[in-house]
């Protein structure tokens, strides 16, 4: 399988979907928003974007299954699997806010093979493939060299699952605030993790996160020289939901801070 060539094709598919998102945003109205769960929204834009992406990827690699946020396609243990978030940052999108993006990863069983994240708001495409490096619009990406937590520029997302997460979120901010260079929350995990790969953030962490949110960008962090694990340091994270992505230098210290904040066994 020529991963470089496949990545080029997937970039085209992601950018087509991103342009669709941006076009629909022009006339979007809140009346078309549905609630999947408390604080978890979806609209026809997410669903239509997923339909377009699934159709294009099916034509590209018919033998692959799908894990998608809106569940319009299935994975039946095929040799390859696409992991798709057709609109990451939905809450930002429905409020005409940024960022939002399209995220597409290809997995083979437990391995991430390629990842593409397209941001139509800044017209930036982040992409990479296993062993081939990570790029943003043709420029090679490298994680930052910040080694001290007191200088770290972190992104800590607050997931929908506020009921389970609330106490932990408070502990996390308590453990981090005032001890790091800065904390941001973006509302798009896929882009926040791409920014770690690009050296724009030094680390990212989130609990209760979907595979479709982080899979593509996690590979880019690895290819850019960073580290991705679950909250407990587990390297086999791709089925997990509590994930940390860093420049590698800050990983252990951030992981320890986070584990102090999370109830054991979370
Ligand atoms: C979102 C993530 C974000 C997280 C939200 C939500 P969606 O994905 O990108 O980081 O905090 O809870 O999961 O739902 O917009 O695709």
């Amino acid at each position: 399988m020529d991963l470089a060539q496949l990545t080029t094709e997937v970039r085209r598919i992601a950018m087509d979907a991103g342009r669709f998102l941006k076009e629909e945003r022009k006339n979007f109205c809140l009346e078309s928003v549905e609630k999947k769960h408390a604080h978890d929204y979806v609209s026809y834009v997410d669903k239509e974007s997923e339909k377009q992406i699934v159709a294009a990827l099916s034509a590209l690699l018919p033998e692959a299954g799908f894990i998608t946020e809106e569940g319009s396609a299935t994975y039946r243990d095929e040799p390859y699997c696409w992991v798709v978030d057709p609109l990451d940052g939905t809450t930002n999108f429905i409020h005409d806010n940024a960022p939002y993006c399209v995220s597409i990863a290809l997995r083979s069983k437990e391995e991430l093979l390629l990842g593409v994240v397209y941001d139509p708001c800044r017209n930036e495409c982040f992409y990479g493939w296993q062993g081939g490096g990570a790029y943003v619009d043709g420029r090679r990406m490298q994680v930052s060299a910040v080694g001290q937590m007191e200088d770290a520029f972190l992104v800590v997302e607050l997931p929908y699952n506020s009921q389970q997460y609330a106490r932990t979120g408070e502990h996390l901010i308590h453990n981090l605030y005032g001890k790091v260079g800065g904390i941001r929350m973006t509302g798009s995990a896929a882009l926040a993790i791409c920014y770690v790969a690009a050296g724009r953030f030094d680390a990212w962490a989130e609990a209760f996160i979907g595979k479709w949110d982080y899979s593509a960008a996690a590979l880019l962090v690895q290819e850019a020289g960073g580290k991705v694990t679950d909250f407990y340091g587990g390297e086999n994270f791709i089925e997990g939901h509590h994930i940390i992505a860093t420049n590698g230098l800050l990983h252990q210290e951030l992981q320890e801070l986070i584990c102090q904040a999370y109830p054991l066994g979370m």
Side-chain angles (χ1 to χ4, degrees):
M1 176 179 277
D2 182 342
L3 290 176
Q5 179 52 41
L6 202 52
T7 302
T8 300
E9 294 293 334
V10 175
R11 284 168 60 196
R12 178 182 50 76
I13 294 169
M15 293 177 78
D16 286 347
R19 282 189 282 269
F20 166 76
L21 300 181
K22 198 159 185 198
E23 193 55 32
E24 290 304 308
R25 180 51 257 178
K26 289 175 186 168
N27 304 306
F28 187 82
C29 54
L30 279 173
E31 287 67 39
S32 51
V33 175
E34 304 158 43
K35 258 192 186 178
K36 291 195 282 192
H37 315 288
H39 327 305
D40 186 2
Y41 305 103
V42 67
S43 77
Y44 75 92
V45 179
D46 303 74
K47 295 173 184 175
E48 180 56 30
S49 173
E50 182 167 302
K51 205 166 120 190
Q52 292 175 19
I53 293 167
V54 167
L57 293 175
S58 299
L60 191 59
L61 198 64
E63 63 269 36
F66 288 86
I67 294 172
T68 65
E69 177 161 16
E70 308 314 333
S72 67
T74 54
Y75 175 50
R76 294 191 180 86
D77 209 22
E78 291 90 341
Y80 298 103
C81 179
W82 295 106
V83 188
V84 177
D85 190 340
L87 168 47
D88 184 57
T90 299
T91 304
N92 289 343
F93 176 88
I94 63 177
H95 292 93
D96 198 9
N97 207 314
Y100 54 85
C101 64
V102 174
S103 179
I104 301 172
L106 180 64
R107 279 174 40 172
S108 155
K109 298 294 177 193
E110 299 303 313
E111 277 190 283
L112 291 169
L113 299 178
L114 68 85
V116 175
V117 176
Y118 176 59
D119 170 4
C121 304
R122 290 183 59 167
N123 189 27
E124 286 190 311
C125 192
F126 301 83
Y127 58 94
W129 60 96
Q130 190 185 70
Y135 305 83
V136 54
D137 294 343
R139 301 185 306 277
R140 188 89 185 224
M141 291 198 286
Q142 176 69 38
V143 293
S144 75
V146 171
Q148 301 299 319
M149 191 57 83
E150 65 187 6
D151 302 324
F153 190 34
L154 307 182
V155 52
V156 175
E157 300 286 357
L158 295 179
Y160 296 115
N161 196 324
S162 51
Q163 198 158 9
Q164 286 209 35
Y165 191 78
R167 191 167 57 82
T168 307
E170 288 156 19
H171 280 257
L172 202 55
I173 298 302
H174 173 74
N175 286 1
L176 291 171
Y177 188 59
K179 300 173 191 136
V180 295
I183 301 176
R184 295 291 182 273
M185 297 169 194
T186 67
S188 168
L191 268 184
I193 304 167
C194 283
Y195 281 26
V196 174
R200 300 176 187 174
F201 282 126
D202 303 313
W204 163 90
E206 184 161 354
F208 301 107
I209 191 74
K211 293 189 272 283
W212 41 77
D213 291 314
Y214 67 78
S215 290
L219 175 67
L220 305 189
V221 168
Q222 293 174 325
E223 288 296 321
K227 184 171 182 177
V228 185
T229 68
D230 64 25
F231 278 6
Y232 306 101
E235 309 254 342
N236 185 17
F237 59 83
I238 63 172
E239 292 297 338
H241 299 286
H242 305 333
I243 310 291
I244 304 175
T246 72
N247 64 6
L249 302 170
L250 299 166
H251 207 89
Q252 186 172 346
E253 189 174 355
L254 180 60
Q255 192 206 322
E256 285 163 6
L257 277 172
I258 283 177
C259 284
Q260 286 164 20
Y262 281 86
L264 287 180
M266 177 173 201

